[in-house]
Amino acid sequence: MGKSDAERRAQFAAEAASVPSITKAEHRKRSRRSVLTGAAGVAAGVFGWRWIQGQEPDNNIPKVLRQTHEANEELWSSLYRPDALAPTFDQSASSMMRVNGRHGIRQEIELDQWSLEVFNNDDLLGTHELADFTSLPKVEMTVEHKCVEGWSHIVTWGGVRFSDFAAQYKDAMGSATHVALATPDEEFYVGLDLDSMMHSQTLLAFELQQEPLDQDHGAPLRLVTPLKYGTKQLKRIGTIRFVDSQPDDFWYERGYDYYAGL
Ligand SMILES: Nc1nc2c(c(=O)[nH]1)N[C@H]1C(S)=C(S)[C@@H](COP(=O)(O)O)O[C@H]1N2
Ligand SMILES: [Mo]
């Protein structure tokens, strides 16, 4: 099961240091809360285990321990609250970015032959053409694309929110916890947690710098999610699969962090 509190706190500290959209003041407040939680633990030690055991049990766990546990849980999940936004920039700050990564897109495709299939596990739920995306409310955003190789670039994306597209599969996605995406030839594939996919800045993009995507940048449709590194932002989506466990992931299998969060 879970990590020890010390491990969680260490990971919290490491993650917190790399989350840009939470202010320093907020960090300090949260760290203070974590210190207080620790202090409660020390105090409990002073009063002794018997006092803890004497507390009203909640789900078979002494209440004071449960409350500490829940405080940690809250602390933890608050880092990933769905409304934390990646910074956005003025469109004038953006420019065309390089081509980086050609797994699954080396061969050109006939764009008008392209279609995208949606599955729940192995059940085909629907097949889509580009018009099914361009007819949804269009979103433009200028964000920083960050690559694990150490470069970043401010770009303007145009597309639709994944959450707007996925709304039609609300019931059919069942108990999905993750989404798996792959290129049509399945050479490149990524897995993302459903919360990240449903984030308001996670787009199925068909434009880059206000022009239709070119093939090297993932035409006709790619994933954009500025809360994660480029490794997750799959170009030329062929399949979208709702699944209930962590999907295979190309760069995770090659040693990169699964969550790839920024
Ligand atoms: N199909 C596919 N998508 C991909 C990759 C890839 O190799 N193949 N590389 C990823 C990585 S590591 C980065 S940094 C970005 C780069 O996007 P760009 O080529 O549009 O700059 O694409 C991502 N999506
Ligand atoms: Mo990358």
Side-chain angles (χ1 to χ4, degrees):
M1 264 286 294
K3 300 180 164 76
S4 75
D5 281 355
E7 279 172 330
R8 282 163 73 110
R9 265 194 294 276
Q11 193 171 351
F12 162 66
E15 301 268 7
S18 65
V19 175
S21 45
I22 293 171
T23 64
K24 282 228 168 63
E26 247 181 304
H27 266 151
R28 272 198 294 274
K29 210 162 75 197
R30 286 172 194 192
S31 310
R32 252 199 318 274
R33 249 159 57 194
S34 124
V35 167
L36 287 178
T37 302
V42 172
V46 170
F47 287 110
W49 182 246
R50 290 210 358 247
W51 177 81
I52 292 176
Q53 290 299 313
Q55 292 296 294
E56 182 196 330
D58 177 1
N59 233 343
N60 281 328
I61 299 171
K63 198 174 183 181
V64 65
L65 291 185
R66 165 145 299 266
Q67 281 166 348
T68 302
H69 177 69
E70 278 169 4
N72 281 345
E73 203 96 86
E74 192 217 320
L75 184 76
W76 193 240
S77 59
S78 67
L79 276 177
Y80 303 116
R81 64 184 194 276
D83 61 338
L85 294 176
T88 54
F89 302 84
D90 193 85
Q91 196 242 308
S92 63
S94 70
S95 58
M96 184 52 84
M97 91 175 148
R98 76 185 78 176
V99 173
N100 204 66
R102 293 177 189 270
H103 298 282
I105 63 165
R106 272 184 202 95
Q107 314 271 302
E108 295 235 320
I109 53 167
E110 293 291 339
L111 292 181
D112 50 10
Q113 307 283 303
W114 172 89
S115 66
L116 184 153
E117 291 181 322
V118 178
F119 294 86
N120 179 340
N121 293 290
D122 290 332
D123 299 334
L124 181 64
L125 302 177
T127 304
H128 297 272
E129 53 189 49
L130 193 58
D132 297 342
F133 300 92
T134 52
S135 57
L136 292 170
K138 187 176 159 186
V139 175
E140 244 187 35
M141 67 178 184
T142 301
V143 292
E144 193 170 15
H145 175 96
K146 293 187 182 171
C147 173
V148 290
E149 291 164 12
W151 57 272
S152 68
H153 198 111
I154 294 175
V155 274
T156 300
W157 300 107
V160 298
R161 291 199 168 94
F162 178 78
S163 58
D164 286 345
F165 170 73
Q168 64 193 296
Y169 292 113
K170 189 168 168 287
D171 298 326
M173 75 173 74
S175 57
T177 56
H178 291 78
V179 179
L181 301 98
T183 51
D185 64 2
E186 301 192 327
E187 190 198 323
F188 192 68
Y189 45 91
V190 298
L192 289 92
D193 55 288
L194 190 62
D195 286 348
S196 298
M197 287 301 291
M198 292 301 184
H199 186 275
S200 63
Q201 290 174 310
T202 299
L203 306 188
L204 299 171
F206 42 80
E207 286 178 7
L208 173 58
Q209 295 307 112
Q210 303 186 304
E211 297 285 346
L213 280 178
D214 64 37
Q215 299 235 1
D216 288 338
H217 286 106
L221 197 71
R222 74 179 284 167
L223 184 69
V224 169
T225 178
L227 293 173
K228 293 188 187 287
Y229 278 108
T231 45
K232 293 287 186 184
Q233 305 191 34
L234 183 132
K235 299 187 278 190
R236 193 192 286 171
I237 306 171
T239 56
I240 291 177
R241 198 178 297 271
F242 296 103
V243 292
D244 30 38
S245 60
Q246 185 173 286
D248 293 345
D249 186 275
F250 185 95
W251 283 115
Y252 174 64
E253 288 161 14
R254 286 154 183 81
Y256 287 91
D257 170 52
Y258 196 94
Y259 196 79
L262 285 165

